């Protein structure tokens, strides 16, 4: 593939530039040669961490290294003999030698030689390469001008030529098509797709194939998996109970965003602060699920705020890894020992992320909304028809008139009965709202909404000015309404978010004081109550019995309004201030989310009513001069409770039960401006060890590059993708490079700090970073991927000659194509596609492929694994339910993550368990059976074997491979025919033939081949 015309400008670099680079590489470089030695052997005791620094010696800066140490200097530039550093590392005295013997960090002779040479040359310090903004380097001059296809190749080739090497030949077309399919969409090509590419004579066939794959909806699924590793995505909360959570809409957002090639800067901002964007859309709010993927502890003995702190610690560490490539978490307990990140810097980052609440968000799914409206319309029609379903009374006249008469009689009787107990209530609007932690906010309807942090012992204190009431009569009773709200878990009325109790609350005690005098209650009732401990009853008096273990809950009827009515022991004159205290104390956090207080002057014992408050208000009005709308409201309420209509209401109840719920997901929501959450430095990183308050801010090392200091989460998100963050573009392009080549250019993976390796190709890394961030298509992931896969470097054969393997075993020089084991999910997805059962469905809730029951049996509660059926059984592995304490076994065997931590680069192991999984796991056995059903077994054995081989491995088999497979088939067929094996145990079907079972055994072998699980 020849370079295109527009690339000519990149070729015109001077020979002088190339000579300069070579000369520079021959000298000692602080960043390349010296910093790794000091970082690995010295910085732990003589680095940035002032608290842990030994001998007051700092070696990470020139000023520190040349400071006077009582007549000595660790480093005297250009004078090795006077440099105490050299004297100490070469000393034969074990008491003087550095590093000390117990550190187990002895320098090698080569490292000492490097340090001596560096000091002799003047001991020049350089700012760490990762903390300097990338600059687009000049295009290197290469000898072989025919090989490069795009700029990437010039940087790779110039290093190969410097080492006296040549690139590997181009990969075989079948290997290339299989490779690029896996890399861009995470699936292998079908034999027909592979043949179409191989036989296409168009010189641009490969470029067209790349565009086709980039446009595939499967592209987003493939690259979402890598991002979800970083996002520590899981479908459960983690820790002991590890209950289920709903956050799959966030996963769908990631897939859709990648498919749409959302610019990476926008992709970043929406995930970190989408809720803070002007007129934030539902999708932008869903995007903030990135930082709701943290684990959540639901154990009874924990402090919710302590584990919120640990979640924030995770968020800071994750943000540092994902967008900065730094181990920011190392500064949680003290100033970073290796990188210029102070302890205070860490909590400045903490503060930038710390001002968000963590609600549950109902996703406005258009299909579900439409269905809900359809059912609501049907219910409204049936309710309107209920009066016509009323049974007619006996007597003369038409059935219609007797029905109307009977309805009117019963309705009037109901009204008179309800009027006797209806009270006129006035809403109490507090003038002050106080709590231990939650933020209480008065709503327009007089209700109070609670948000922010909650604990297992929340106390609300409301101050009410009684003089504001429109009455001069004594108050006789108090009413507390527990109100549902879509902003609350399960629509409330409580704020409990635990699985199985979502939307619940537990009110332990209510106390009322006026002028510091406690007031007593004589009695209490509730419209609905459920108490599980203490008295064991739903007695409303539990809330004023002085026993915090008893109280009022409405568990089991979340999403509905309920009321509690308490009668004062003595009438209360309506003047002065009333101070009402509500205690919510339980072994889990469960305070009210939305509630309203009212008082009445009605005589007699007032009881809580199951009627809606607006209906009671109509009934309580003196006289009966109701409007048409008010009478209609009363009649509707009567039809919903009249025993004569019980049978007719069953159809309504059935419809209501069928009303689908909107899916929910976990999001962030910035706290109100008048209720910010303060952040303190935690000494030693301990939750209970608070020090001074810290203001939001980025690490000081970045201040010179930053135009304005970020003050909140949105500012911070924008800063991360600005010129002020010199790390961002390098980190992102290198992570992509690692996905294609099996290893990043910075081999230390997620760490770009002082302990990182120097990039194998620093100029290439910076060129890619500049092209990604400031090129013709800024921040385009698809364009980055396009550049990589269309390079000649990527298209090299992965075959390796013995001499090259000895010279460059880790392929640091990139003198050959990538060849490494596929990720766990790709291995299963490849088997699904080969077997012909892969579901093409995109998005939706997680599913449960089959796996041994023993996997979840040992997890808390011995949770069920309800294996999916139908299409869901064969969804892509991205959608497999992820349980943190019991990860999907077939993925774990191949180093799949648990979702507990941010993973910048997966481990890649090679164990016998992997072969056993592919051979014996029931899931893979099932796919082997399915594959055989896709093959035309009427053909000769050689054709059947070829078909199986190609469905799994893409390429046409060699003759000896077919011979071996057919021979294996014949051997197994003999065993099956002789009764050594039973066909039905292999093929499942009762009437399975020996021939079918033998081919299944052949397929199992092919699925287990190294080539089946390795990128070519």
């Amino acid at each position: 593939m020849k370079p295109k015309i527009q690339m000519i400008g990149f070729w015109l670099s001077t020979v002088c530039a190339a000579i300069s680079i070579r000369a520079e590489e021959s000298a000692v470089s602080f960043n390349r040669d010296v910093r790794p030695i000091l970082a690995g052997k010295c910085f732990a005791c003589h680095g940035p961490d002032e608290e842990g620094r030994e001998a007051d010696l700092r070696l990470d800066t020139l000023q520190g290294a040349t400071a006077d140490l009582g007549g000595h200097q660790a480093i005297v530039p250009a004078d090795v003999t006077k440099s105490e550093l050299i004297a100490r590392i070469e000393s034969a005295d074990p008491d003087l030698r550095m590093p000390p013997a117990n550190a187990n960090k002895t320098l090698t002779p080569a490292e000492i030689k490097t340090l001596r040479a560096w000091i002799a040359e003047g001991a020049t310090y350089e700012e760490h390469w990762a903390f300097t903004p990338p600059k687009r380097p000049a295009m290197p001059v290469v000898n072989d001008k025919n090989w490069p296809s795009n700029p990437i190749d010039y940087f790779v080739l110039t290093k190969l030529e410097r080492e006296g090497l040549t690139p590997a030949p181009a990969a075989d077309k079948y290997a290339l098509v299989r490779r690029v399919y896996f890399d861009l969409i995470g699936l292998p090509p079908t034999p027909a797709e592979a043949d179409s590419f191989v036989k296409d004579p168009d010189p641009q066939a490969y470029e067209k194939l790349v565009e086709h794959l980039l446009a595939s909806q499967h592209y987003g699924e493939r690259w979402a998996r890598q991002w979800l590793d970083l996002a520590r995505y899981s479908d459960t909360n983690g820790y002991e109970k590890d209950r289920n959570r709903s956050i799959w809409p966030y996963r769908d957002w990631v897939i859709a965003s990648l498919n749409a090639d959302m610019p990476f800067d926008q992709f970043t901002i929406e995930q970190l602060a989408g809720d803070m964007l002007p007129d934030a859309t539902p999708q932008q709010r869903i995007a903030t699920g990135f930082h709701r993927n943290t684990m959540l502890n639901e154990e009874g003995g924990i402090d919710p705020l302590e584990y919120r702190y640990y979640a924030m610690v995770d968020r800071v560490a994750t943000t540092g890894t994902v967008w900065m490539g730094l181990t920011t978490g190392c500064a949680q307990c003290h100033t970073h020992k290796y990188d210029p990140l102070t302890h205070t810097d860490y909590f400045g980052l903490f503060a930038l992320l710390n001002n968000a609440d963590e609600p549950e968000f109902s996703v406005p799914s258009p299909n579900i909304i439409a269905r809900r409206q359809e059912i609501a319309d049907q219910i409204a029609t049936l309710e309107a028809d209920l009066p016509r379903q009323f049974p007619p009374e006996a007597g003369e006249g038409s059935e219609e008139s007797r029905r109307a008469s009977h309805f009117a009689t019963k309705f009037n009787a109901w009204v008179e009965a309800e009027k006797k107990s209806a009270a006129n209530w006035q809403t109490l609007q507090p003038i002050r709202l106080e709590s231990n932690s939650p933020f209480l906010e008065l709503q327009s309807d007089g209700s109070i909404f609670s948000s922010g942090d909650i604990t297992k012992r929340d106390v609300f204190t409301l101050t009410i000015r009684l003089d504001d009431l429109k009455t001069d009569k004594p108050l006789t009773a108090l009413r507390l309404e527990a109100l549902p709200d879509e902003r609350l878990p399960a629509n409330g009325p409580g704020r409990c978010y635990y699985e199985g109790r979502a939307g619940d609350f537990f009110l332990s005690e209510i106390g009322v004081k006026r002028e510091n005098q406690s007031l007593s209650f004589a009695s209490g009732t509730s419209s609905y109550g459920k108490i599980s401990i203490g008295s064991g009853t739903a007695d409303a008096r539990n809330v004023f019995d002085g026993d915090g273990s008893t109280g009022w809950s409405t568990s089991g009827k979340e999403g509905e309004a309920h009321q509690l009515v308490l009668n004062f022991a003595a009438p209360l004159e309506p003047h002065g201030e009333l101070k009402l205290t509500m205690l919510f104390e339980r072994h889990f956090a469960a305070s009210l989310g939305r509630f309203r207080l009212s008082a009445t002057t009605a005589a007699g014992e007032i009881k809580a009513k199951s009627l809606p408050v607006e209906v009671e208000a109509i009934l309580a009005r003196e006289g009966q001069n109701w409007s048409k709308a008010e009478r209609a409201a009363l009649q509707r309420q009567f039809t919903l409770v009249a025993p004569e209509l019980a049978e007719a209401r069953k159809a309504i109840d059935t419809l209501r039960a069928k009303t689908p719920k909107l899916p929910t997901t976990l999001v962030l929501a910035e706290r109100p401006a008048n209720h910010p959450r303060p952040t303190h430095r935690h000494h030693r990183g301990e939750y209970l060890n608070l020090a001074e308050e810290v203001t939001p801010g980025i690490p000081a090392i970045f201040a010179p590059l930053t135009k304005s200091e970020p003050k909140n989460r949105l500012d911070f998100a924008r800063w991360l993708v600005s010129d002020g963050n010199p790390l961002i573009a390098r980190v992102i392009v290198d992570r992509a490079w690692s996905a294609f080549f099996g290893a990043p250019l910075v081999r230390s993976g997620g760490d770009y700090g002082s302990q990182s390796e120097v990039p194998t190709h620093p100029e290439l890394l910076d060129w890619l970073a500049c092209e990604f961030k400031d090129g013709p298509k800024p921040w385009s992931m698809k364009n980055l991927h396009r550049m990589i896969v269309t390079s000649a470097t990527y298209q090299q054969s992965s075959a390796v000659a013995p001499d090259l393997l000895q010279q460059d075993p880790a392929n640091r020089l990139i003198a050959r194509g990538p060849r490494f084991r596929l990720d766990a999910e790709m291995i299963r997805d490849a088997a699904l596609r080969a077997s012909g059962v892969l579901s093409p469905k995109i998005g939706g809730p997680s599913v449960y492929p089959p796996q041994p029951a023993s996997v979840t049996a040992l997890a808390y509660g011995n949770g069920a694994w309800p294996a999916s059926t139908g299409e869901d059984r064969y969804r892509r592995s991205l959608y497999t339910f992820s349980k943190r304490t019991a990860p999907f076994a077939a993925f774990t065997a191949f180093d799949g993550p648990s979702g507990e931590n941010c993973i910048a680069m997966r481990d890649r192991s090679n164990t016998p368990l992997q072969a056993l999984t592919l051979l014996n796991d029931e899931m893979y056995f099932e796919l082997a059976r399915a594959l055989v059903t896709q093959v035309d077994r009427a053909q000769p054995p050689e054709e059947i074997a070829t078909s199986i081989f190609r469905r799994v491995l893409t390429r046409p088999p060699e003759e000896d491979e077919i011979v071996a497979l057919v021979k294996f088939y014949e051997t197994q067929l003999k065993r099956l025919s002789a009764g050594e094996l039973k066909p039905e145990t292999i093929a499942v079907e009762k009437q399975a033939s020996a021939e079918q079972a033998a081919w299944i055994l052949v397929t199992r072998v092919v699925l287990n081949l190294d080539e089946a699980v390795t990128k070519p």
Side-chain angles (χ1 to χ4, degrees):
M1 186 164 45
K2 301 295 184 183
K4 298 182 179 179
I5 297 298
Q6 56 262 42
M7 304 316 309
I8 291 177
F10 291 115
W11 304 341
L12 304 178
S13 313
T14 64
V15 173
C16 291
I19 293 173
S20 174
I21 291 172
R22 291 189 179 96
E24 183 182 328
E25 291 200 350
S26 66
V28 179
S29 163
F30 178 78
N31 270 334
R32 185 189 67 226
D33 306 315
V34 177
R35 187 188 294 276
I37 299 173
L38 297 179
K41 305 296 175 68
C42 307
F43 284 0
C45 297
H46 305 293
D49 183 11
E50 183 176 354
E51 186 176 342
R53 193 178 301 148
E54 299 286 345
D56 201 27
L57 171 61
R58 183 172 183 178
L59 292 175
D60 63 313
T61 66
L62 177 63
Q63 182 180 1
T66 57
D68 179 54
L69 300 173
H72 298 281
Q73 288 180 218
I75 293 174
V76 179
D79 195 333
V80 176
T81 60
K82 292 183 179 179
S83 296
E84 186 71 12
L85 173 68
I86 299 301
R88 287 300 190 99
I89 64 178
E90 293 183 339
S91 175
D93 186 341
D95 292 332
L96 296 178
R97 188 177 180 90
M98 288 289 154
N102 59 8
N104 295 316
K105 293 183 177 182
T106 304
L107 275 72
T108 66
E111 290 173 331
I112 296 174
K113 182 180 179 181
T114 297
L115 291 177
R116 291 180 68 94
W118 171 62
I119 293 174
E121 291 177 6
T124 301
Y125 272 78
E126 299 167 343
E127 188 173 1
H128 183 43
W129 62 268
F131 295 110
T132 61
K135 296 180 180 179
R136 187 183 291 270
M139 199 58 44
V141 174
V142 297
N143 297 324
D144 183 0
K145 294 180 173 55
N146 292 319
W147 185 72
S149 291
N150 68 29
I152 290 173
D153 302 322
Y154 287 86
F155 294 101
V156 173
L157 184 58
T158 191
K159 192 157 188 172
L160 290 177
E161 291 180 341
R162 196 177 304 144
E163 298 292 331
L165 298 173
T166 57
D172 165 80
K173 279 195 166 187
Y174 279 109
L176 181 60
V177 70
R178 183 174 172 85
R179 180 189 299 173
V180 76
Y181 260 79
F182 272 124
D183 277 338
L184 291 185
I185 66 170
L187 297 169
T190 65
E193 289 170 333
D195 290 342
S196 175
F197 166 70
V198 170
K199 296 174 182 178
D200 190 343
D202 188 342
Q204 296 295 311
Y206 181 67
E207 286 77 5
K208 289 193 301 185
L209 174 63
V210 169
E211 295 306 318
H212 169 72
L213 295 176
L214 289 172
S216 168
Q217 291 298 295
H218 295 308
Y219 169 87
E221 292 178 310
R222 182 268 186 270
W223 289 96
R225 181 60 268 174
Q226 186 196 51
W227 188 258
L228 294 179
D229 280 10
L230 295 165
R232 61 267 190 255
Y233 176 88
S234 180
D235 294 298
T236 62
N237 289 331
Y239 294 111
E240 179 203 30
K241 290 181 171 57
D242 199 23
R243 291 191 175 110
N244 295 1
R245 63 168 49 164
S246 175
I247 197 169
W248 58 264
Y250 166 74
R251 178 182 58 200
D252 285 3
W253 179 89
V254 173
I255 296 169
S257 299
L258 292 170
N259 276 332
D261 199 21
M262 178 185 286
F264 186 79
D265 57 346
Q266 180 184 348
F267 186 70
T268 293
I269 291 167
E270 292 195 7
Q271 289 185 85
L272 291 180
D275 60 301
M276 298 177 69
L277 293 171
D279 301 317
T281 66
Q283 289 302 307
Q284 287 169 334
R285 294 195 64 191
I286 291 168
T288 63
F290 177 88
H291 268 325
R292 290 302 311 281
N293 281 310
T294 48
M295 295 199 293
L296 174 67
N297 196 334
E298 298 177 278
E299 296 174 41
I302 62 99
D303 177 353
L305 295 186
E306 179 182 7
Y307 278 87
R308 187 194 173 278
Y309 170 77
Y310 296 146
M312 287 303 308
V313 166
D314 170 74
R315 288 169 189 168
V316 175
T318 296
T319 302
T321 297
V322 174
W323 283 282
M324 302 166 75
L326 296 178
T327 53
T328 54
C330 292
Q332 175 193 346
C333 303
H334 49 71
T335 292
H336 205 296
K337 290 187 177 296
Y338 303 99
D339 292 329
L341 298 173
T342 69
H343 194 30
T344 302
D345 282 341
Y346 174 88
F347 282 100
L349 290 173
F350 193 107
L352 286 167
L353 297 170
N354 195 32
N355 200 41
D357 286 335
E358 303 174 0
E360 186 178 78
F361 177 62
S362 294
V363 180
S365 167
N367 292 338
I368 294 179
I369 289 174
R371 178 57 182 154
R372 287 169 64 91
Q373 186 59 52
E374 180 183 349
I375 291 177
D377 292 342
Q378 293 174 358
I379 289 175
T381 299
L382 291 175
E383 286 183 346
D385 192 55
L386 282 175
R388 288 186 285 275
Q389 305 297 315
F390 210 82
E393 61 184 355
E396 298 180 355
S398 67
E399 181 178 305
E400 184 177 351
S401 63
R402 287 185 286 116
R403 176 178 290 110
S405 175
H406 195 198
F407 180 86
T409 300
K410 292 291 185 178
F411 170 67
N412 291 333
W414 174 80
V415 166
E416 290 305 314
E418 293 293 341
K419 276 180 66 64
K420 291 178 182 178
S421 60
N424 189 18
W425 296 91
Q426 285 193 59
T427 300
L428 301 176
Q429 296 202 16
I431 58 173
R432 281 192 301 278
L433 301 166
E434 302 168 278
S435 79
N436 59 306
S437 189
F439 176 56
L440 304 180
E441 188 174 21
L442 191 63
Q443 307 292 290
S444 60
D445 64 352
S447 66
I448 298 160
F449 186 76
S450 169
S451 61
D453 299 332
I454 59 174
T455 71
K456 292 186 293 184
R457 191 182 190 279
D458 283 342
V459 180
F460 298 173
T461 303
L462 315 177
T463 303
I464 301 159
R465 190 160 47 211
L466 297 180
D467 302 271
D468 293 341
L469 294 177
K470 297 177 181 179
T471 184
D472 54 2
K473 296 180 179 179
L475 306 180
T476 57
L478 183 73
R479 182 176 70 186
L480 169 65
E481 295 174 68
L483 301 171
D485 193 290
E486 63 180 9
R487 295 170 289 181
L488 299 171
N491 292 327
R495 292 188 60 196
C496 179
Y497 49 79
Y498 296 153
E499 180 73 19
R501 299 299 297 267
D504 192 15
F505 68 92
F506 189 84
L507 175 60
S508 303
E509 292 287 313
I510 288 183
V512 180
K513 287 185 178 181
R514 186 169 66 174
E515 298 176 356
N516 291 324
Q517 295 295 316
S518 296
L519 305 180
S520 300
F521 296 110
S523 62
T525 54
S526 64
S527 58
Y528 170 78
K530 186 173 183 180
I531 310 299
S532 58
I533 59 175
S535 68
T537 71
D539 193 332
R541 289 177 295 181
N542 290 342
V543 300
F544 59 87
D545 62 359
D547 182 355
S549 66
T550 66
W552 181 47
S553 164
T554 59
S555 176
K557 288 196 175 184
E558 288 76 21
E560 300 178 23
H562 307 282
Q563 58 180 255
L564 175 78
V565 171
L566 303 177
N567 290 272
F568 290 114
L572 178 65
E573 294 298 326
H575 60 78
E577 287 187 354
L578 199 68
K579 187 161 286 188
L580 185 144
T581 301
M582 304 168 69
L583 170 66
F584 302 90
E585 188 170 32
R586 196 67 158 147
H587 63 278
F588 56 87
S591 52
L592 265 170
R594 188 177 178 191
F595 60 96
R596 182 166 51 208
L597 290 164
S598 306
T600 186
T601 60
E605 184 180 12
I606 311 302
K607 294 186 177 182
K609 301 181 74 67
S610 57
L611 292 174
V613 293
E614 57 272 14
V615 171
E616 184 178 9
I618 297 171
L619 291 166
R621 284 221 327 259
E622 295 182 5
Q624 293 190 8
N625 54 334
W626 298 319
S627 68
K628 186 176 181 181
E630 289 172 333
R631 180 170 287 277
L634 292 174
Q635 289 184 343
R636 178 183 178 277
Q637 182 63 33
F638 171 66
T639 62
L640 297 180
V641 297
E644 294 86 351
L645 293 172
E647 189 65 29
R649 287 194 299 268
K650 286 182 179 179
I652 296 174
D653 296 338
T654 300
L655 275 175
R656 196 166 275 124
K658 290 181 178 179
T659 302
K661 294 182 179 180
L662 290 172
T664 61
T665 193
L666 306 179
V667 299
L668 295 177
E670 191 71 354
R671 290 163 72 93
N674 59 343
H675 190 65
R677 180 186 286 115
T679 296
H680 293 264
R681 183 176 63 83
H682 291 250
H683 186 60
R684 296 289 185 183
E686 296 174 0
Y687 166 65
L688 293 176
N689 203 345
L690 269 66
E692 73 279 2
E693 189 168 341
V694 177
T695 57
I698 57 172
I701 184 68
F702 301 117
L705 301 173
T706 303
K707 295 177 181 178
S708 60
E709 180 83 359
K711 298 298 183 185
N712 58 39
R713 190 160 39 93
L714 180 57
D715 289 346
F716 181 43
R718 288 170 171 159
W719 174 84
L720 283 170
V721 288
S722 73
D723 292 337
N725 178 10
L727 294 149
I728 178 68
R730 288 189 182 112
V731 170
I732 302 308
V733 300
D734 202 19
R735 193 173 289 140
W737 186 274
S738 177
F740 287 107
F741 287 91
L745 297 170
V746 180
R747 293 289 172 123
S748 49
D751 183 5
Y752 282 64
S754 295
Q755 287 196 300
S756 67
E757 290 194 32
V758 175
T760 60
H761 295 71
E763 292 84 9
L764 172 58
L765 179 61
D766 278 8
W767 185 89
L768 284 170
C770 292
E771 185 71 7
F772 176 60
K773 184 173 178 292
D774 301 314
K777 294 185 177 180
W779 299 112
S780 169
M781 293 300 294
K782 285 190 176 181
N783 193 53
L784 173 64
H785 297 164
R786 180 187 292 109
M787 281 193 297
I788 293 174
V789 301
T790 55
S791 68
T793 302
Y794 173 83
Q795 296 176 61
Q796 293 178 97
S797 169
S798 60
V800 54
D803 57 338
L804 181 59
L805 184 62
Q806 185 174 6
Q807 181 177 352
D808 185 21
N811 199 22
R812 285 174 172 265
L813 298 172
I814 323 177
R816 58 184 183 273
R819 180 177 174 82
F820 52 90
R821 201 208 70 215
L822 298 170
D823 287 343
E825 295 85 355
M826 284 191 194
I827 292 171
R828 176 175 175 268
D829 291 348
L832 285 168
R833 191 169 219 209
S835 64
V837 297
L838 176 66
S839 165
K841 183 180 176 183
I842 307 288
S846 295
V847 295
Y848 299 81
Q851 72 167 343
S854 59
V855 174
T856 55
L858 296 179
Y860 176 88
N862 189 17
W865 184 267
S868 299
T869 58
E871 182 183 17
D872 282 352
R873 193 178 185 90
Y874 308 113
R875 299 287 309 280
R876 280 195 74 163
S877 300
L878 176 70
Y879 304 111
T880 296
F881 187 87
S882 170
K883 185 174 181 64
R884 284 183 162 118
T885 56
F888 192 64
F891 297 163
T892 302
F894 289 94
D895 309 300
S898 67
E900 294 170 290
N901 299 296
C902 170
I903 302 296
M905 189 165 63
R906 289 190 187 185
D907 293 331
R908 192 177 296 120
S909 63
N910 185 4
T911 69
L913 181 59
Q914 294 170 356
L916 292 171
T917 297
L918 291 172
L919 194 63
N920 296 322
D921 189 292
E922 177 56 33
M923 176 179 66
Y924 285 106
F925 208 157
E926 181 179 326
L927 296 180
R929 296 186 191 105
L931 193 154
V932 171
T933 65
Q934 302 289 319
V935 176
D936 181 4
R937 299 203 307 276
Q939 300 178 93
E942 292 77 10
E943 294 298 323
I944 299 173
T946 297
S947 182
I948 292 171
F949 186 97
R950 293 211 59 196
R951 291 181 76 93
V952 177
L953 303 179
T954 305
R955 66 176 176 86
E958 301 292 338
E959 184 176 349
D960 60 337
E961 291 170 327
I962 288 300
V963 169
L965 288 177
V966 171
K967 183 177 180 181
F968 180 75
Y969 161 72
E970 291 171 345
T971 301
Q972 301 309 312
L973 184 60
K974 288 180 181 178
R975 295 180 65 204
L976 287 157
S977 299
E980 295 179 31
L981 297 172
K982 294 183 178 181
E984 59 269 23
T985 63
I986 296 169
V988 176
E989 297 90 342
K990 292 182 180 179
Q991 304 301 321
S993 66
E995 174 264 345
Q996 179 187 6
W999 282 121
I1000 291 174
L1001 294 174
V1002 170
T1003 302
R1004 291 172 68 200
V1005 169
V1006 177
L1007 286 170
N1008 200 285
L1009 293 174
D1010 176 71
E1011 188 176 346
V1013 298
T1014 304
K1015 189 166 76 168

